[in-house]
Amino acid sequence: MTPDLWMLLIFGASLLLGMPVAFALGLGGIAGIITGLSPDMLATLGTNTYNSIAKYPLIAIPLFILTGIIFERAGVASSLVNFAQSLIGRRHGGLALVAVLVCLIMGGMSGSGPADAAAVAMVMLPSMTKAGYPRPFSASLIAAASSTAILIPPSIALILYSVMLPGLDLRALFAAGLFPGLLAGASLLVPAYFLAKRNGWETKNSSDEELPSVKASFIKAIPALLAPVIILGGLRSGLFTPTEAAVVAVTYGLIIGTFVYQQLNWTSLVEMLNEAVKISGIVLIIIALAGIFAWAGTTLGTFTRLADAILSISDSSLVLLFLVMLLVLLAGMLLDAISIYLILTPILVPLINHFEWNPVWFGILLAMNIAIGQFTPPVAINLMVTTKVANIRLEETFSWAMLFMVTMFSALLLVLFFPQIALWLPEYLGYSTT
C-alpha cells in the first residue's frame, strides 16, 4: 500500500473511531511520514506544528471568538430584537424576519455561527413559540440564519482561508462575503413567510404584549448597531488591519456590555476569558496538527495526485465545480468549517489554478457550502445549539432543516453562476481579488 493511502486510511479510520479531528490529522500525517519518508523526518513535527500557527493573521481568531462570547452575553441580541420587532410589528412571518435580521447583524460582530445561534435562540424562541411557531421550525430557522456568520464579515473561516492562500487580500474576502451572506439570509425568509401565512402563525392578535416604541428601541440598539459599522468602517478606511479590528471589537464589546447594557462584570469577564481560551485552544490545536498533515501531503505529493485524479474525471470546469461543491457540502455535514478548510484547501488549490477560478469567489462558494452544512444533519453544530435551547430532539428538526438547505443552496447557485454578486463590492472598493 502506498504512503498516500496509508496517510488517508489512518486519517479516515481515526475519524470513524470517533477521534477528534485534530489528532486524526496529526496521526494521518505521521503515518505518511513514516511510510513514505525517513522516520528521522519525525523530527520536523515540532517545527511544522509551530509554523502552522505562527502566522500574524491567526491572532484575529481567538480575539473574534472572544468578541462573539462578549456580544452573546452583553445583551446585544435582546436590544436588536426589540428594535427589529418595533419596526416590523406583528404580521405573518414577522418574528421569522426579526430572527434572520438579528442573526445577520450578530454575524457582523462575531463571525461565529454557534455563538450567534445561542444568543438569538435564547431571545427569540420564547416569543416565536408564543406566537404559534412550532419549536422545531424556529430552531431550524435560527440555526440556518446564524450559519451566515461564516459569510458576513468578520468571518473566522475566511481569515483561515486567506492564510491558506498566501497573498489573498482578507479585506477583499470580507467584502465579497457581504452580499452572498445577505442573499443567503433572504433565501430563508421566502419559505418562512409563506409557511407562516399558510399555517396562521403569528397574527396581529397573537400576543397581548405591547411592542416597544421605535424611538426608544432604536436608541437602546444604537450601540449594538454601531459595532459592525466600526469594525467594517475601520477596515474600509484603513484605520486598522483585520487583526487590529478584532482588538477593537473586543474592546468595544466590553465597553458597551459593561457601561451601556450593564450586563458584564468582573466575574463574567473571567468566565468569558476562560471560555474563549478553551475554544481558541481547540481551534489552534486543530490548525497546529493539521500542519503535520499538510506538510506530509505536500512533501509526498499526495495532494497533487488527488487533484490530478479529480481533474481526470472531466474536462469541464462546471462539472468539476459542482463535484467540488457536493464534496464540500458532504464534508460540512460532518466536520467543522476550520477542519474543512485545512483538509480540502491544499487539494483544491491546484484546481483553482488549473481552471483559473477566482480565489475570492471560490472562497465564498466554499463558505456558503460550509454554512449549509452547519445546520444540516447528522452533525449540524448550529442546530445542536438551538435544539438544546428549545429543549427538543434534533430529529424533530430534520424536515425543516432540509427545506432551508434547499433554499440556501439556491442562493449558492446564484453566486456560482453570477460571480459578480460576490466580486462587485471588493472590486468597487479597490481591493485585489486575485
Side-chain angles (χ1 to χ4, degrees), residues 180 183 361 411-424:
L183 181 64
W361 166 73
L412 184 151
L413 290 177
L414 285 174
V415 178
L416 189 150
F417 286 112
F418 302 99
Q420 283 304 116
I421 295 176
L423 298 178
W424 175 83

Side-chain angles (χ1 to χ4, degrees), residues 84 91 136 358:
R91 63 190 69 200
N358 185 287

Side-chain angles (χ1 to χ4, degrees), residues 9 24 85 131 174 239 278 383 400:
L9 180 64
Q85 282 185 299
F174 278 178
L239 189 62
K278 290 179 180 177
L383 202 54
W400 300 119

Side-chain angles (χ1 to χ4, degrees), residues 361-434:
W361 166 73
F362 188 78
I364 299 304
L365 289 179
L366 289 183
M368 294 187 77
N369 244 314
I370 295 169
I372 296 172
Q374 286 188 330
F375 66 89
T376 305
V379 177
I381 184 169
N382 287 6
L383 202 54
M384 287 185 178
V385 172
T386 56
T387 52
K388 185 176 180 181
V389 175
N391 194 27
I392 57 176
R393 297 194 312 275
L394 188 68
E395 298 80 23
E396 297 178 58
T397 64
F398 283 4
S399 59
W400 300 119
M402 292 300 108
L403 171 64
F404 294 130
M405 182 188 79
V406 171
T407 58
M408 193 178 285
F409 194 77
S410 66
L412 184 151
L413 290 177
L414 285 174
V415 178
L416 189 150
F417 286 112
F418 302 99
Q420 283 304 116
I421 295 176
L423 298 178
W424 175 83
L425 184 58
E427 290 175 352
Y428 176 78
L429 296 176
Y431 300 142
S432 172
T433 58
T434 57

Side-chain angles (χ1 to χ4, degrees), residues 27-160:
L27 281 177
I30 291 172
I33 292 172
I34 293 175
T35 56
L37 304 170
S38 169
D40 294 340
M41 298 303 290
L42 291 175
T44 63
L45 296 184
T47 304
N48 286 326
T49 53
Y50 173 77
N51 289 339
S52 299
I53 58 175
K55 296 179 173 67
Y56 176 72
L58 292 181
I59 297 174
I61 290 180
L63 289 170
F64 277 124
I65 288 173
L66 178 58
T67 301
I69 296 171
I70 290 172
F71 281 115
E72 177 190 349
R73 301 190 182 183
V76 169
S78 179
S79 66
L80 291 173
V81 166
N82 287 335
F83 175 54
Q85 282 185 299
S86 67
L87 284 177
I88 297 169
R90 291 194 180 91
R91 63 190 69 200
H92 291 303
L95 286 174
L97 174 58
V98 170
V100 173
L101 287 177
V102 174
C103 284
L104 291 172
I105 297 173
M106 291 288 290
M109 301 178 192
S110 67
S112 170
D116 294 348
V120 178
M122 290 290 290
V123 179
M124 289 299 306
L125 275 169
S127 299
M128 294 182 75
T129 302
K130 191 173 182 180
Y133 291 89
R135 282 185 296 173
F137 170 86
S138 303
S140 302
L141 178 66
I142 295 172
S146 60
S147 72
T148 59
I150 199 175
L151 290 161
I152 303 292
S155 164
I156 294 173
L158 293 181
I159 293 172
L160 183 59

Side-chain angles (χ1 to χ4, degrees), residues 29 102 119 125-126 156 201 235 243-244 303 318 394 429:
V102 174
L125 275 169
I156 294 173
W201 302 336
L235 287 173
T243 304
E244 292 165 346
F303 298 145
L318 187 60
L394 188 68
L429 296 176

